[in-house]
């Protein structure tokens, strides 16, 4: 699958979609083309602001992103949304289809929405999300939003690839506050109490107070104290506050000074993760290693060998 690079960097959305499809391909021939494409795209990347958005299912992530994306475009930005869907266990494709849930945003020329299946990837993040970010940046999108399935490891995985991390919460703070872990709060740069409309407005106001108190108690002193804001994606209220908070974050001198260091650390972590993934792919492509692994798996399942012992045997075989 050949990609017209000039069309990509000119912002052609169809070419960008084909380029990400190339990244996600498991064919050896496509993988070589993808690597070459990424090398060419890197000098054109790195100029966007990357936002991670997570939250429990039903909190309204897609509705919020659509409203916020439209607000960004009204401010003169170009927005790419990498919406990571859980994979179907039957065919491996996206179950929820975020593009259909952001109909207005997806129809705008200044927006690009790419729903991608997790395909079993740990952390609720698509296998090639980091690489897709690079291509979106090369295509001229200056705000990249990564939406996760909002479960378990996903918060930590996304935090390692973005500049700003927002957690969406429902207005019933009393219930959710009990389940908040200190680590999750420490990841958040912004807590958004969504669905603050209709009969839930008072609940949302109470939730903002409770989350603000939790932030004061549970987060350590750092360059930035997480903010808490109430929004309604339906009524488009509070969205401008989110934009103002992000603008404040970007212009805070200490954060701006640490920005390059943070990106460098993320690239190093990306490299380490890719080393593990590519080793796994390479080993799985060779019959002798696949057979050895299958044999050891049989011994483990039959309880003839411990998983640790089997893993050591496998590594010793690979390193011979």
């Amino acid at each position: 699958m050949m990609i017209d690079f000039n069309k990509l960097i000119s912002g052609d959305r169809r070419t960008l979609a084909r380029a990400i499809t190339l990244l996600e391909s498991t064919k050896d021939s496509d993988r070589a083309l993808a690597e070459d494409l990424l090398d060419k795209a890197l000098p054109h990347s790195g100029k966007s602001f990357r936002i991670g958005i997570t939250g429990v299912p039903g909190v309204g992530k897609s509705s919020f992103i659509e409203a916020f994306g439209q607000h960004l475009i009204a401010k003169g930005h170009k927005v790419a949304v990498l919406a990571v869907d859980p994979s179907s266990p039957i065919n491996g494709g996206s179950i929820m289809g975020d593009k259909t849930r952001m109909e207005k945003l997806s129809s705008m020329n200044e927006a690009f929405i790419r729903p991608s299946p997790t395909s079993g990837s740990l952390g609720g993040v698509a296998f090639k999300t980091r690489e897709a970010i690079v291509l979106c940046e090369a295509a001229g999108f200056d705000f990249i939003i990564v939406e996760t399935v909002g479960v378990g490891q996903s918060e930590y995985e996304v935090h390692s690839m973005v500049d700003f991390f927002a957690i969406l919460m429902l207005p019933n703070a009393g219930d959710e506050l009990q389940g908040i872990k200190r680590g999750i709060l420490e990841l958040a740069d912004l807590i958004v109490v969504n669905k603050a409309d209709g009969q839930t407005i008072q609940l949302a106001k109470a939730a903002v107070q409770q989350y603000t108190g939790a932030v004061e108690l549970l987060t350590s002193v750092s360059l930035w104290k997480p903010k808490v804001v109430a929004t309604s994606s339906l009524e488009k209220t509070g969205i401008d506050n989110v934009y103002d908070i992000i603008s404040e974050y970007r212009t805070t001198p200490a954060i701006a000074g640490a920005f390059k260091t943070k990106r460098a650390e993320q690239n190093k972590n990306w490299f380490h993760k890719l080393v593990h993934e590519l080793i796994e792919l390479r080993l799985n492509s060779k019959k002798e290693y696949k057979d050895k692994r299958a044999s050891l798996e049989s011994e483990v399942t039959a309880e003839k060998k411990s998983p640790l012992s089997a893993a050591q045997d496998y590594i010793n075989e690979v390193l011979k």
Side-chain angles (χ1 to χ4, degrees):
M1 184 191 301
M2 296 301 297
I3 302 297
D4 188 327
F5 187 69
N6 289 327
K7 279 189 174 182
L8 175 67
I9 61 175
S10 70
D12 184 77
R13 294 189 296 173
R14 183 169 296 182
T15 301
L16 176 57
R18 292 181 68 244
I20 295 176
T21 298
L22 177 67
L23 280 181
E24 294 173 345
S25 174
T26 57
K27 295 180 181 178
D28 288 337
S29 57
D30 285 345
R31 194 173 298 128
L33 290 172
E35 289 175 9
D36 181 61
L37 180 64
L38 276 172
D39 285 341
K40 290 168 68 175
L42 271 174
H44 301 269
S45 68
K47 300 179 180 68
S48 79
F49 189 72
R50 306 168 183 175
I51 302 173
I53 294 180
T54 192
V56 297
V59 76
K61 292 189 294 292
S62 295
S63 298
F64 170 81
I65 290 170
E66 179 165 57
F68 183 57
Q70 290 175 294
H71 188 83
L72 287 172
I73 289 170
K75 291 287 187 181
H77 300 288
K78 292 184 66 179
V79 184
V81 181
L82 301 174
V84 185
D85 273 350
S87 301
S88 165
I90 298 173
N91 58 26
S94 297
I95 293 175
M96 302 171 73
D98 281 87
K99 199 165 184 176
T100 62
R101 293 183 286 143
M102 302 182 199
E103 190 173 349
K104 291 180 181 178
L105 185 61
S106 63
S107 67
M108 302 178 79
N109 291 329
E110 301 87 355
F112 173 81
I113 300 175
R114 175 71 180 206
S116 298
T118 56
S119 302
S121 175
L122 291 175
V125 180
F127 183 62
K128 294 296 182 181
T129 300
R130 287 176 175 83
E131 290 85 344
I133 289 172
V134 170
L135 293 185
C136 289
E137 291 177 340
F141 292 91
D142 61 333
F143 267 83
I144 313 293
I145 298 174
V146 182
E147 176 198 358
T148 79
V149 295
V151 288
Q153 184 67 18
S154 60
E155 288 89 355
Y156 297 93
E157 187 72 15
V158 172
H159 186 264
S160 72
M161 64 178 76
V162 298
D163 307 310
F164 187 89
F165 190 66
I167 299 177
L168 269 61
M169 296 290 193
L170 290 165
N172 52 328
D175 296 331
E176 287 200 9
L177 200 56
Q178 300 303 317
I180 290 183
K181 295 180 180 177
R182 181 190 180 100
I184 299 300
L185 272 184
E186 288 179 338
L187 292 181
D189 297 304
L190 173 65
I191 295 174
V192 178
V193 180
N194 199 27
K195 299 189 176 182
D197 45 52
Q199 295 181 343
T200 65
I201 290 178
Q202 293 305 316
L203 281 174
K205 288 181 179 179
V208 168
Q209 290 182 337
Q210 291 186 56
Y211 288 131
T212 301
V215 165
E216 291 293 333
L217 288 172
L218 298 180
T219 57
S220 58
V221 177
S222 62
L223 300 177
W224 173 263
K225 178 66 72 174
K227 310 291 186 185
V228 185
V229 64
T231 64
S232 168
S233 305
L234 182 66
E235 298 179 354
K236 306 289 194 299
T237 54
I239 302 299
D240 53 342
N241 292 337
V242 173
Y243 182 81
D244 290 343
I245 288 168
I246 290 173
S247 298
E248 179 188 349
Y249 179 90
R250 297 180 73 180
T251 55
T252 298
I255 291 171
F259 186 84
K260 188 173 182 180
T261 302
K262 183 177 180 180
R263 281 279 180 96
E265 186 67 21
Q266 288 177 346
N267 284 337
K268 185 177 74 173
N269 292 337
W270 180 14
F271 163 71
H272 290 159
K273 185 177 176 64
L274 283 173
V275 167
H276 290 286
E277 290 175 348
L278 292 175
I279 287 174
E280 187 79 4
L281 283 171
R282 186 68 62 86
L283 291 177
N284 285 337
S285 69
K286 295 185 178 296
K287 186 178 184 303
E288 63 269 30
Y289 295 132
K290 287 180 70 175
D291 291 345
K292 178 66 174 178
R293 175 177 288 198
S295 173
L296 289 167
E297 284 174 351
S298 296
E299 291 189 64
V300 169
T301 54
E303 297 186 347
K304 294 180 179 178
K305 188 182 287 286
S306 73
L308 177 59
S309 177
Q312 292 285 9
D313 287 353
Y314 183 66
I315 296 300
N316 290 338
E317 178 71 20
V318 169
L319 294 179
K320 277 198 307 185

